[in-house]
Amino acid sequence: HFAAYSFLTCCIFGSLLGSLWSRSWRSIVYVGMLGALDENIQRFMPYRSCDMADWAFDVLAATLSVLILSLIYRLLNPVPASEELLKSI
């Protein structure tokens, strides 16, 4: 699950518009919602179960992916802190 949800996070993060902060938290929320949907669908499958630990690892994959993507974004697009603060308001 970790690799799949990391890839999914990268796709969602790349497709969103807005500030880095907005793209980051929305990516984590969207992937968390998709993970919850995936776990609930598994409830109806034979020999599968809904496991909160799986969902937690999905969200962890999203969070770590966003941290790495944010770091890469910051390294490639440095912005002074005061300018970033004005953009977020």
Side-chain angles (χ1 to χ4, degrees):
H1 279 229
F2 202 86
Y5 278 88
S6 291
F7 179 74
L8 181 62
T9 303
C10 292
C11 292
I12 291 173
F13 183 88
S15 68
L16 293 173
L17 298 175
S19 69
L20 179 61
W21 171 247
S22 173
R23 292 167 62 195
S24 298
W25 74 261
R26 287 187 297 157
S27 295
I28 295 169
V29 168
Y30 294 161
V31 170
M33 289 169 40
L34 288 170
L37 178 65
D38 181 35
E39 291 303 317
N40 281 306
I41 289 171
Q42 288 182 29
R43 183 182 295 195
F44 303 107
M45 303 291 177
Y47 307 109
R48 299 298 305 248
S49 64
C50 179
D51 189 5
M52 290 304 293
D54 280 348
W55 177 79
F57 276 104
D58 298 342
V59 174
L60 178 63
T63 304
L64 292 177
S65 297
V66 162
L67 287 173
I68 292 168
L69 290 168
S70 297
L71 178 64
I72 292 169
Y73 182 85
R74 277 290 172 226
L75 290 173
L76 296 177
N77 303 302
V79 176
S82 60
E83 190 175 319
E84 180 65 27
L85 180 62
L86 290 175
K87 285 183 181 178
S88 66
I89 296 176

